[in-house]
C-alpha cells in the first residue's frame, strides 16, 4: 500500500509537469510495468482525479481539462531539487534574499514529515567562487516589466542607464534617447540578466543588460522575428557590446588581440570587456589576482598580443615568455 501511494503521488507530479503522457513513458519514469501504471491510474480515478485516455498513435493519458492538482504535490527528488535551488540561487534581484529563505520555510511546512527531514539534512553553506561575477541586483519591477513584455510580445520603451545605475543627462556623451525595443528572450548568463531584443531605433538585434534599463511597458504588440543565429546562447555570448563592465580585481589590464570581437567575447571569462576595433582586431580588458594571471588568460587565445596596458602587464608577459623559452625537455635539452 505504501509503495502504491508513493507511485500515485509520483503520477500526480508527472501529470502536473506535462499535459500528455504515453503509457510507455509513464512506465519508464516510474520504473514499473505498463500494467502497474494502468492499475495506479485506476486508483487515481477512484480517488476522484479525472485521468482521461487519449486514443491514437500520439495518445496516452492526461489529467482532465479544468482540473488542477492539489498544491505542492512533490515527490522526493522534486522536493530536494527545490530546496537546493532555493539555497544556491544567486542574489541577482533586489530584496529576494529574505523571500527565498521564507519560501524554503513555507515549503518545509507544506510537505510530509519524511520529506521535510530530508530537506533539513541539506542545509548548505554557499561559498563564493572568485570567477563568479554577478551584476548588481536588479529592481524586481524592471525585471517583471521586461519578462512580461517578452511573454506578451509587447514593445518596450526604455531609458539606458550607466553602469552605476545613474541616468545620463541630455548633454552627456553617453546620453541616449529612450529606445523602442521588441524583446524576444530574457536570458541569465554568468550571473547577469540580459534581454535579447530588436532595436527599432537602429533596426538591428541587440543584447542589453537588464540592470541598465529603465523600462516602460506598452500595449503595442509585435510579431516575432527570426534571430540572426539559430543558437541563442552563441548570439548572447558573441555579442561584445552587451554592456558588461570589468569586474573588480587586484590587477586589471588590457591587450589588442588579432581576433574578431565576437570570437573573443564568446570565450572571454566573466567580468571582462571586449571592445570591437575592426573586423580582425579587438581589445580585451580583464582582471585577475596577479599580472601573471592576466597574462595566462591572454595566452589561451593563441594569437598576437600588442598594445598591452599597463606596463606591469607587458613586463610580466616578457618575463613569462623568457621563463618558458628556457624550459628543458624530458631529456634535459634546452
Amino acid at each position: 500500500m505504501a509503495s502504491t501511494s508513493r507511485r500515485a503521488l509520483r503520477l500526480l507530479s508527472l501529470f502536473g509537469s506535462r499535459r500528455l503522457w504515453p503509457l510507455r513513458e509513464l512506465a519508464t519514469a516510474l520504473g514499473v510495468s505498463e500494467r502497474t501504471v494502468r492499475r495506479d491510474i485506476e486508483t487515481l480515478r477512484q480517488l476522484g482525479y479525472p485521468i482521461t485516455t487519449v486514443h491514437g498513435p500520439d495518445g496516452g493519458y492526461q489529467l482532465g481539462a479544468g482540473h488542477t492538482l492539489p498544491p505542492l504535490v512533490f515527490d522526493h527528488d522534486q522536493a530536494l531539487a527545490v530546496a537546493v535551488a532555493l539555497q544556491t540561487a544567486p542574489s541577482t534581484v533586489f530584496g529576494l534574499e529574505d523571500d527565498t529563505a521564507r519560501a524554503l520555510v513555507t515549503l518545509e511546512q507544506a510537505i510530509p514529515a519524511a520529506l521535510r527531514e530530508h530537506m533539513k539534512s541539506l542545509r548548505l553553506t554557499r561559498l563564493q567562487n572568485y570567477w563568479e561575477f554577478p551584476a548588481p541586483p536588479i529592481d524586481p519591477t524592471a525585471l517583471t516589466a521586461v519578462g512580461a513584455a517578452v511573454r506578451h510580445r509587447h514593445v518596450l520603451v526604455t531609458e539606458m542607464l550607466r553602469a552605476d545605475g545613474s541616468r545620463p543627462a541630455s548633454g552627456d556623451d553617453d546620453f541616449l534617447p529612450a529606445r523602442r525595443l521588441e524583446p524576444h528572450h530574457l536570458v541569465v548568463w554568468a550571473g547577469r540578466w540580459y534581454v535579447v531584443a530588436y532595436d527599432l531605433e537602429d533596426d538591428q538585434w541587440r543584447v542589453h543588460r537588464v540592470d541598465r534599463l529603465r523600462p516602460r511597458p506598452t500595449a503595442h504588440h509585435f510579431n516575432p522575428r527570426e534571430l540572426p543565429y539559430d543558437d541563442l546562447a552563441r548570439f548572447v555570448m558573441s555579442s561584445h557590446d552587451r554592456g558588461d563592465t570589468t569586474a573588480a580585481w587586484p590587477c586589471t589590464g588590457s591587450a589588442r588581440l588579432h581576433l574578431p570581437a565576437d570570437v573573443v567575447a564568446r570565450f572571454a571569462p566573466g567580468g571582462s570587456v571586449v571592445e570591437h576595433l575592426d573586423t580582425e582586431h579587438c581589445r580585451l580588458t580583464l582582471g585577475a589576482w596577479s599580472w601573471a594571471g592576466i597574462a595566462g588568460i591572454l595566452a589561451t587565445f593563441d594569437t598576437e598580443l600588442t598594445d598591452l596596458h599597463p606596463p606591469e602587464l607587458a613586463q610580466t608577459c616578457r618575463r613569462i615568455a623568457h621563463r618558458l623559452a628556457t624550459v628543458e625537455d624530458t631529456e634535459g635539452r634546452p
Side-chain angles (χ1 to χ4, degrees):
M1 178 64 71
S3 177
T4 301
S5 299
R6 284 195 296 270
R7 287 199 311 273
L9 288 174
R10 174 66 172 156
L11 260 178
L12 285 176
S13 175
L14 292 174
F15 283 125
S17 64
R18 196 168 105 191
R19 180 169 177 79
L20 180 64
W21 281 90
L23 177 61
R24 180 178 300 176
E25 292 186 21
L26 283 175
T28 300
L30 294 171
V32 296
S33 67
E34 294 182 7
R35 183 179 179 182
T36 299
V37 174
R38 290 193 184 96
R39 286 204 307 264
D40 290 343
I41 288 175
E42 286 304 316
T43 299
L44 290 177
R45 286 170 173 165
Q46 293 172 11
L47 292 173
Y49 292 98
I51 309 298
T52 59
T53 303
V54 179
H55 298 284
D58 298 324
Y61 295 93
Q62 66 181 22
L63 194 64
H67 190 89
T68 58
L69 293 173
L72 294 179
V73 179
F74 286 147
D75 61 26
H76 176 270
D77 292 340
Q78 285 178 316
L80 293 184
V82 174
V84 172
L86 287 172
Q87 294 181 78
T88 59
S91 300
T92 57
V93 182
F94 276 122
L96 289 193
E97 295 90 344
D98 293 339
D99 295 320
T100 302
R102 289 192 299 108
L104 183 60
V105 172
T106 301
L107 176 63
E108 291 176 348
Q109 294 174 346
I111 63 176
L115 284 183
R116 189 181 308 129
E117 289 304 314
H118 282 289
M119 289 180 60
K120 287 183 177 181
S121 69
L122 278 177
R123 287 301 187 198
L124 308 179
T125 299
R126 186 168 180 264
L127 302 180
Q128 181 183 3
N129 186 310
Y130 284 105
W131 289 103
E132 293 178 1
F133 304 109
I138 302 172
D139 181 355
T141 303
L143 186 61
T144 302
V146 174
V150 170
R151 178 186 178 188
H152 298 296
R153 299 290 189 227
H154 285 171
V155 173
L156 272 179
V157 177
T158 181
E159 296 180 66
M160 314 301 291
L161 306 178
R162 293 193 177 103
D164 61 1
S166 62
R167 178 182 179 185
S170 58
D172 297 345
D173 293 337
D174 56 352
F175 173 77
L176 286 174
R179 316 288 289 181
R180 293 181 304 125
L181 307 177
E182 293 179 354
H184 282 67
H185 298 276
L186 186 61
V187 178
V188 181
W189 177 51
R192 296 169 171 84
W193 292 82
Y194 301 93
V195 58
V196 177
Y198 190 82
D199 194 318
L200 296 173
E201 306 305 326
D202 51 15
D203 292 323
Q204 62 179 310
W205 287 94
R206 298 281 191 187
V207 179
H208 293 288
R209 287 267 295 267
V210 176
D211 58 310
R212 307 283 176 78
L213 303 180
R214 182 175 289 176
R216 186 170 70 253
T218 73
H220 302 305
H221 186 268
F222 66 86
N223 294 320
R225 302 174 186 261
E226 286 191 17
L227 283 170
Y229 295 109
D230 293 335
D231 188 345
L232 178 64
R234 179 187 175 192
F235 177 63
V236 173
M237 295 167 64
S238 62
S239 297
H240 62 87
D241 57 349
R242 56 184 175 253
D244 290 339
T245 53
T246 309
W249 279 102
C251 300
T252 302
S254 67
R256 186 175 186 266
L257 280 64
H258 192 175
L259 286 171
D262 61 332
V263 173
V264 174
R266 187 176 182 185
F267 300 103
S272 60
V273 175
V274 181
E275 178 187 358
H276 171 82
L277 298 178
D278 56 46
T279 56
E280 296 183 353
H281 298 86
C282 69
R283 173 168 291 279
L284 175 60
T285 303
L286 70 161
W289 51 87
S290 66
W291 298 115
I294 299 177
I297 296 172
L298 291 173
T300 63
F301 288 94
D302 194 21
T303 187
E304 297 176 10
L305 302 175
T306 57
D307 194 21
L308 277 72
H309 292 286
E312 292 87 346
L313 176 59
Q315 293 168 4
T316 300
C317 287
R318 287 192 291 269
R319 185 170 63 251
I320 292 175
H322 175 74
R323 186 181 303 156
L324 294 176
T326 61
V327 171
E328 296 181 350
D329 65 18
T330 56
E331 297 181 359
R333 293 189 298 261

